[in-house]
């Protein structure tokens, strides 16, 4: 569905005023994303972030996320919303990476029940009917059976095929018109930790249970200190001094590591 068709659908379903507001937000987001991309390219050259670039990471490394009420700190641009994180990639200063919460936060009922239920279903092979999420299905899920079937299908596909990016999936299995905008989006902290930002909570958890070694993610935000480490790694000549941190030397976001990976494939 193209933008014009989408606009017509919005007019029919929500009225002209709502469609115009949506179109305005969409246009602003696209222009802002393009501006950010140009700015990144001018400043960082070949190590500049690109919104559609994917990296492969071990899903077991993604255990925490930016709390929802803290995500506004990731949006330094006027009139932009958290939705911008799905469409762009940029560098950010500050202490935003100091606050995090576990993906299975016990203080959030749905997350707690999901964590326990996935452990029972995919860790122990139990039926959905034995899980705590099943008991609360009508309160927490819009279409419970569809959700259970979708998660089971994803688990089986991951075990059989590994993790495939959205663009490689059949159109019926894709989550968005622009495939990369619905990839799991992460932030990378100054120390190189991977934090979920938006999209993919279920995919991460199921990938962990499926036992796969790698999954595709999109980096929405990098801390400035981490970006400087990437720049230094890129400039380091082959065979030059290794980074002081072993974590940095093997990090999937390290430019040199990605080049070595490409050469092996």
């Amino acid at each position: 569905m193209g933008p014009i068709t989408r606009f017509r659908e919005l007019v029919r379903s929500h009225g002209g005023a709502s469609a115009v507001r949506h179109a305005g937000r969409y246009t602003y987001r696209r222009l802002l994303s393009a501006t950010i991309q140009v700015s990144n390219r001018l400043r960082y050259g070949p190590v500049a972030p690109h919104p559609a670039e994917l990296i492969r990471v071990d899903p077991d490394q993604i255990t925490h996320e930016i709390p929802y009420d803290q995500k506004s700190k990731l949006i330094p641009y006027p009139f932009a919303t958290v939705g911008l994180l799905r469409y762009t990639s940029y560098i950010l200063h500050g202490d935003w990476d100091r606050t995090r919460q576990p993906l299975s936060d016990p203080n959030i009922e749905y997350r707690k029940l999901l964590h326990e239920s996935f452990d029972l279903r995919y860790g122990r092979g139990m039926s959905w009917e034995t899980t705590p999420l099943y008991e609360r299905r009508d309160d927490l899920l819009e279409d419970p059976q569809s959700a259970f079937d979708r998660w089971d299908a994803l688990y089986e596909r991951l075990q059989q095929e590994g993790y495939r990016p959205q663009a490689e999936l059949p159109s019926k299995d894709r989550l968005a018109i622009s495939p990369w905008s619905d990839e799991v989006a992460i932030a990378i902290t100054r120390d190189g930790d991977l934090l979920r930002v938006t999209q993919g909570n279920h995919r991460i958890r199921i990938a962990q249970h499926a036992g796969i070694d790698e999954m595709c993610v999109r980096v929405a935000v990098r801390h400035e200190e981490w970006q400087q480490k990437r720049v230094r790694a890129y400039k380091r000549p082959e065979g030059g001094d290794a980074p002081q941190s072993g974590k940095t030397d093997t990090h999937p976001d390290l430019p040199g590591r990605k080049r070595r990976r490409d050469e092996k494939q």
Side-chain angles (χ1 to χ4, degrees), residues 106-248:
N107 297 315
I108 303 176
E109 182 185 22
Y110 177 71
R111 294 292 183 82
K112 179 177 182 293
L113 295 180
L114 187 73
H115 173 71
E116 295 173 353
S117 298
F118 277 11
D119 281 347
L120 289 172
R121 177 62 173 163
Y122 304 120
R124 305 183 190 179
M126 307 291 285
S127 67
W128 281 113
E129 288 76 9
T130 64
T131 65
L133 185 59
Y134 187 85
E135 296 178 7
R136 296 292 312 282
R137 62 192 184 281
D138 293 330
D139 298 325
L140 299 174
L141 299 173
E142 183 176 347
D143 186 345
Q145 192 56 54
S146 176
F148 296 147
D149 291 344
R150 184 171 64 253
W151 295 334
D152 283 347
L154 175 59
Y155 178 77
E156 293 176 6
R157 188 173 74 225
L158 289 177
Q159 287 198 314
Q160 295 171 4
E161 306 174 6
Y163 195 98
R164 297 165 61 189
Q166 292 284 311
E168 294 181 8
L169 296 177
S171 57
K172 65 182 180 63
D173 295 326
R174 295 180 187 174
L175 299 177
I177 299 169
S178 177
W180 59 265
S181 69
D182 229 345
E183 296 288 358
V184 177
I186 66 168
I188 301 184
T189 71
R190 71 191 73 197
D191 298 318
D193 295 332
L194 312 181
L195 304 179
R196 191 189 79 91
V197 174
T198 182
Q199 309 300 109
N201 179 49
H202 302 95
R203 280 173 276 174
I204 294 170
R205 296 291 301 150
I206 293 175
Q208 291 168 344
H209 280 289
I212 62 174
D213 296 328
E214 293 182 327
M215 68 180 296
C216 298
V217 299
R218 192 180 66 80
V219 184
V221 183
R222 290 177 175 88
H223 195 280
E224 172 64 27
E225 292 183 24
W226 176 254
Q227 177 65 11
Q228 292 305 322
K229 293 176 183 178
R230 295 181 75 242
V231 171
R232 291 194 295 271
Y234 182 85
K235 291 179 178 179
R236 191 177 64 252
E238 196 68 32
D241 295 336
Q244 294 181 352
S245 169
K247 180 178 185 178
T248 303

Side-chain angles (χ1 to χ4, degrees), residues 27-37 77-78 80 84 88:
T27 301
Y28 174 71
R29 188 170 59 210
R30 292 295 296 269
L31 290 173
L32 180 57
S33 180
T35 302
I36 293 170
Q37 190 172 336
Y77 304 102
L84 178 69
T88 191

Side-chain angles (χ1 to χ4, degrees), residues 36-134:
I36 293 170
Q37 190 172 336
V38 170
S39 176
N40 285 337
R41 192 69 182 177
L42 290 174
R43 182 173 182 183
Y44 299 108
V47 200
H50 191 284
E53 181 184 12
L54 303 180
I55 63 174
R56 289 185 173 271
V57 305
D58 183 344
D60 288 335
Q61 292 181 341
I62 309 176
T63 60
H64 289 70
E65 66 181 349
I66 302 291
Y68 184 81
D69 60 359
Q70 297 294 312
K71 289 182 182 178
S72 61
K73 295 181 179 179
L74 301 180
I75 313 296
Y77 304 102
F79 310 113
T81 65
V82 173
L84 178 69
L85 295 168
R86 292 181 59 185
Y87 300 95
T88 191
S89 180
Y90 49 87
I91 312 301
L92 196 60
H93 296 272
D95 292 332
W96 57 267
D97 60 333
R98 298 299 194 193
T99 304
R100 61 189 71 181
Q101 67 185 21
L103 293 180
S104 55
D105 190 341
N107 297 315
I108 303 176
E109 182 185 22
Y110 177 71
R111 294 292 183 82
K112 179 177 182 293
L113 295 180
L114 187 73
H115 173 71
E116 295 173 353
S117 298
F118 277 11
D119 281 347
L120 289 172
R121 177 62 173 163
Y122 304 120
R124 305 183 190 179
M126 307 291 285
S127 67
W128 281 113
E129 288 76 9
T130 64
T131 65
L133 185 59
Y134 187 85

